[in-house]
Amino acid sequence: MAGRGNFSSKIGFIAAAAGSAVGLGNIWKFPFEVGQGGGAAFVLVYLAFAFILCFPVMVTEIAIGRRTQKNPVGAFSDLGFRNWRWLGIMGVLAGFLILSFYNVVAGWAFGYFIEMVTGHFEIGQHFGEFTKNFVKVGGYGLIFMAATAFIVSRGISAGIEKASKILMPSLVIMMLGLVIYSFTLPNAGKGIEFYLLPDFSKITLPVVYRALGQAFFSLSLGMGALITYGSYVGKNDNIVSSAAIITLADVGIAFLAGLMMFPFVFSQNLPPTGGPGLIFVTLPGIFQSLGPVLGIVIGSVFFLLLSFAALTSTVSLLEVPVAYVVDEHKIPRKISVWVIAALIFIIGIPSLLSNGASDLFSSFITYPGAESATDFMTFIGHVANDTFLPLGGALIVIFAAYVWKKHNLNNELEQGFAGFKGSFVEKFIDLSISYIAPVVLLSIFILNVLDRFFGVQVF
Ligand code: PHE
């Protein structure tokens, strides 16, 4: 379709999609989920989900996007019936919700960076003092949203692709450096043990849902981000191999983040269950141990690169609703971008207030059977990441296998991958999207909703 824009090459697409996948989900969320989910057991469940369920869902999303060259709402109604539009709409809404809180955390990372380089960061400072300061976190959040909007407004190849190609490799180099450093710390071995030696008794049902929610979130699945990116992919590109590279890159970076984090945490004798503060409290403490100058240098590099990782993800989150209004309502890209970014920023204000700035939002809801209240931002995360994404993923594969139909999916995948049909990969993807993924995703979705929001434990 003329005028919609395209990625200029396969590598450009991979950089952008891996940029979407690799973000706060890998570096901020993954280590603390592992910490709270009991360590290596969580990692194992997460890896199994990533390869058996998520990779096939990713292939399916990209294929739907490339086939229709449309945003999720247009794509489902093109291939199925108009009624399937709501699946796309659910994706657009999930994107709105996720970006509204994701941007807040991205703003924290960016704020840490700015305060470190301008010499305003007292390394030992309390994280709570920072997040409580509405003017500060609101200001950093606003700058972050504006940077996201700027990139998205420049379009696919000049904006999203170009930024990702620079930001992603720098991130990897820095991560490797920090991993190596963390291995040299005292007690590093204990951290590695916690991370890599599974204690199977820790695999409980909540661990399973969280691992699934984490895998979906981390791979940007279940809400149409990859349908949207897929809509800009060239017809000669191999979707299956691209998806495999994106999955490996994402899982690989999450794995590295854990490998860096747990030696750090154990070297300071801190509990790995630190939650969302792990990266914002524990890490700065470690940087401090490097001495005032080196600590600030390494710390600012780290938080700059964390901001970069987040930026290529916020860009993909914003692109979903933007592609929707550009395609379906014919509103020019620039106007769509700025209006939608402003709206999402506003929707994110309660999340900005959720970490100490307002009591109402900081203790927003107490789930049945829970001991303490959950803040608004975490609550939105539970609704969007752990609930909407697995549900969206289940419906996407059901749609592809039974409504659009597998032979159509396979025809799309054969383009750019001669020999796909009849191959082992085809059989694997088929088995996963026709049977395994729908059953597992729907059951986990239902059990999770009953357990978390209604306090009902079936098992
Ligand atoms: N995958 C991103 C991360 O891990 C978050 C994301 C979710 C981006 C859904 C796009 C869509 O940080």
Side-chain angles (χ1 to χ4, degrees), residues 106-335:
W108 295 347
F110 179 64
Y112 266 47
F113 164 69
I114 295 291
E115 307 213 335
M116 281 187 178
V117 286
T118 55
H120 288 90
F121 191 86
E122 255 181 76
I123 264 190
Q125 89 169 353
H126 205 264
F127 173 60
E129 291 300 309
F130 178 75
T131 56
K132 232 172 31 196
N133 188 331
F134 178 68
V135 177
K136 257 192 190 175
V137 288
Y140 290 126
L142 194 61
I143 299 174
F144 209 88
M145 187 64 92
T148 305
F150 174 73
I151 295 178
V152 177
S153 73
R154 291 176 49 95
I156 307 307
S157 59
I160 297 178
E161 179 175 338
K162 203 165 162 198
S164 311
K165 272 181 164 167
I166 303 169
L167 301 178
M168 293 303 295
S170 6
L171 174 81
V172 174
I173 294 171
M174 182 252 5
M175 289 280 302
L176 286 173
L178 284 176
V179 169
I180 293 169
Y181 175 70
S182 79
F183 279 10
T184 64
L185 296 170
N187 269 341
K190 283 222 178 84
I192 296 173
E193 223 169 81
F194 172 78
Y195 185 49
L196 298 181
L197 278 187
D199 168 358
F200 291 100
S201 67
K202 297 242 170 83
I203 304 186
T204 58
L205 204 54
V207 165
V208 174
Y209 330 130
R210 295 191 71 148
L212 179 76
Q214 173 62 22
F216 258 72
F217 180 76
S218 182
L219 288 157
S220 306
L221 296 174
M223 52 151 285
L226 290 170
I227 295 181
T228 311
Y229 273 17
S231 76
Y232 309 118
V233 168
K235 284 288 180 195
N236 298 325
D237 289 348
N238 181 333
I239 292 179
V240 177
S241 68
S242 305
I245 298 172
I246 298 160
T247 305
L248 285 172
D250 186 64
V251 169
I253 301 261
F255 188 76
L256 282 182
L259 217 46
M260 165 197 85
M261 196 57 153
F262 293 105
F264 275 162
V265 172
F266 281 79
S267 75
Q268 301 235 323
N269 291 320
L270 291 166
T273 46
L278 204 53
I279 216 170
F280 293 101
V281 182
T282 313
L283 269 189
I286 318 245
F287 297 146
Q288 187 173 27
S289 69
L290 300 175
V293 178
L294 194 60
I296 290 287
V297 172
I298 306 245
S300 45
V301 170
F302 176 80
F303 284 105
L304 177 66
L305 288 161
L306 183 61
S307 310
F308 284 175
L311 189 57
T312 47
S313 300
T314 52
V315 158
S316 71
L317 284 161
L318 183 59
E319 179 60 26
V320 176
V322 166
Y324 164 61
V325 298
V326 170
D327 289 349
E328 306 295 309
H329 299 287
K330 310 280 175 259
I331 299 172
R333 172 170 276 270
K334 287 219 155 57
I335 300 177

Side-chain angles (χ1 to χ4, degrees), residues 44 67 82 97 99 103 144 181 183 419 444 451:
L44 268 187
R67 173 62 213 265
R82 257 189 80 79
L97 289 182
L99 184 50
N103 185 66
F144 209 88
Y181 175 70
F183 279 10
I444 292 187
D451 179 0

